């Protein structure tokens, strides 16, 4: 457990570069340069969870990107220990919503030259105690678990539940393949059937979110037909 760090993602990269052995969770009470998806900042207040799992999966970049679905499902299950699961849903690409507001986000980073990633870091931020100021996306205003009389969950305790849930989902991936993770993700997904805009590289594609296919692509029905948006494009 770190007291203050620039970002648990940066710390994960440093540890991977200096010869990380087994899977490691890195957690900090405070981050001075927390990062979010798409180059945004992530404010992590004391009392919230800021943690990164870094490991060396035997996975191509596309397979590694699919871990994002696994992480979302694990995060959903860990949160469901503390709040009624009917209040939770998953939003593409990998946010968790509580009462329709953003309660948690996931960021994937990886490195490697060969066909397999050298390491994968899965960063997870959860607004346990404090709802951050500022609304990034008016449709999904930030919310904290403790809001509206919710429980005040200790971040270290939450990380134990998250690590367990993650291990359970990894076990399902090993035993049943990505199909099972996909099914679980789709069962919890909030936005199927909605019109969404996905960014892939520099291109923006707008369409009706139909499903996630067996390779982990986001399938959008657009006026020009069905478009597959690669998980690897969206998540890294
Ligand atoms: C997002 O929704 O944009 C993803 C947010 C991810 C935030 C977490 S907090 C722990 C880890 N360290 C970081 O700097 N970012 C991730």
């Amino acid at each position: 457990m770190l007291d203050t760090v620039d970002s648990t993602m940066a710390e994960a990269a440093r540890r991977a570069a200096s010869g990380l052995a087994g899977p490691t969770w890195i957690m900090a009470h405070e981050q001075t340069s927390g990062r979010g998806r798409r180059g945004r900042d992530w404010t992590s207040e004391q009392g919230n969870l800021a943690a990164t799992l870094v490991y060396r999966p035997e996975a191509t970049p596309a397979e590694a990107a699919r871990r994002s679905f696994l992480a979302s499902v694990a995060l959903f299950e860990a949160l469901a220990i503390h709040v009624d699961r009917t209040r939770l849903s998953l939003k593409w690409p990998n946010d968790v919503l509580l009462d329709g507001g953003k309660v948690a986000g996931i960021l994937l980073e990886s490195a490697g030259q060969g066909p397999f990633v050298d390491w994968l870091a899965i960063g997870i931020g959860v607004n346990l105690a404090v709802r951050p100021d500022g609304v990034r996306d008016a449709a999904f205003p930030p919310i904290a678990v403790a809001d509206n009389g919710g429980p005040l969950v200790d971040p270290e305790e939450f990380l134990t539940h998250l690590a367990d849930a993650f291990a359970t989902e990894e076990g399902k991936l090993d035993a049943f393949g990505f199909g099972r993770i996909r099914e679980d993700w789709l069962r919890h997904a909030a936005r199927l059937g909605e019109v969404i805009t996905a960014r892939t590289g520099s291109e923006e594609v707008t369409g009706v979110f139909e499903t996630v296919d067996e390779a982990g692509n986001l399938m959008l029905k657009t006026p020009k037909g069905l478009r597959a948006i690669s998980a690897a494009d969206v998540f890294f």
Side-chain angles (χ1 to χ4, degrees):
M1 157 68 74
L2 300 165
D3 196 20
T4 303
V5 72
D6 47 357
S7 155
T8 55
M9 302 307 279
E11 179 64 18
R14 288 190 288 267
R15 292 203 196 175
S18 58
L20 175 92
T24 306
W25 281 97
I26 300 163
M27 181 183 164
H29 282 301
E30 195 186 10
Q31 298 187 115
T32 52
S33 310
R35 40 205 208 218
R37 287 186 59 251
R38 310 195 57 76
R40 293 161 166 159
D41 294 339
W42 178 266
T43 316
S44 35
E45 314 273 356
Q46 292 264 357
N48 287 353
L49 179 90
T52 296
L53 170 66
V54 57
Y55 64 129
R56 301 188 191 277
E58 236 182 60
T60 63
E63 287 162 350
R66 290 189 207 151
R67 299 300 208 280
S68 175
F69 295 100
L70 188 154
S72 320
V73 172
L75 187 49
F76 182 107
E77 292 302 335
L79 280 161
I81 294 171
H82 303 284
V83 297
D84 192 309
R85 62 172 52 238
T86 59
R87 297 174 60 202
L88 295 167
S89 56
L90 297 176
K91 173 176 100 56
W92 174 272
N94 51 10
D95 293 340
V96 185
L97 306 179
L98 173 66
D99 297 337
K102 176 159 170 165
V103 71
I106 298 174
L107 174 67
L108 264 61
E109 293 180 357
S110 74
Q113 306 290 332
F116 294 119
V117 296
D118 180 31
W119 53 265
L120 171 68
I122 302 179
I124 296 181
V126 184
N127 304 329
L128 289 174
V130 184
R131 179 178 64 239
D133 286 339
V135 176
R136 277 191 197 156
D137 185 344
F140 306 98
I143 187 170
V145 171
D147 284 352
N148 309 316
L152 188 58
V153 182
D154 174 61
E156 288 189 51
E157 182 199 341
F158 187 80
L159 185 61
T160 318
H161 297 147
L162 181 60
D164 285 351
F166 206 93
T168 303
E169 298 305 323
E170 283 268 10
K172 287 185 197 165
L173 184 67
D174 289 345
F176 309 112
F178 176 65
R180 173 65 184 273
I181 303 296
R182 172 180 171 268
E183 272 169 34
D184 287 348
W185 192 90
L186 287 171
R187 210 151 23 85
H188 298 318
R191 303 196 73 195
L192 296 177
E194 283 185 45
V195 174
I196 63 169
T197 298
R199 288 175 197 83
T200 157
S202 57
E203 194 193 3
E204 285 201 347
V205 182
T206 299
V208 177
F209 183 10
E210 294 272 294
T211 191
V212 170
D213 77 1
E214 266 143 51
N217 298 309
L218 164 77
M219 303 303 292
L220 290 187
K221 196 157 103 192
T222 75
K224 290 184 185 159
L226 211 54
R227 278 285 308 267
I229 310 291
S230 148
D233 274 356
V234 179
F235 291 143
F236 288 125

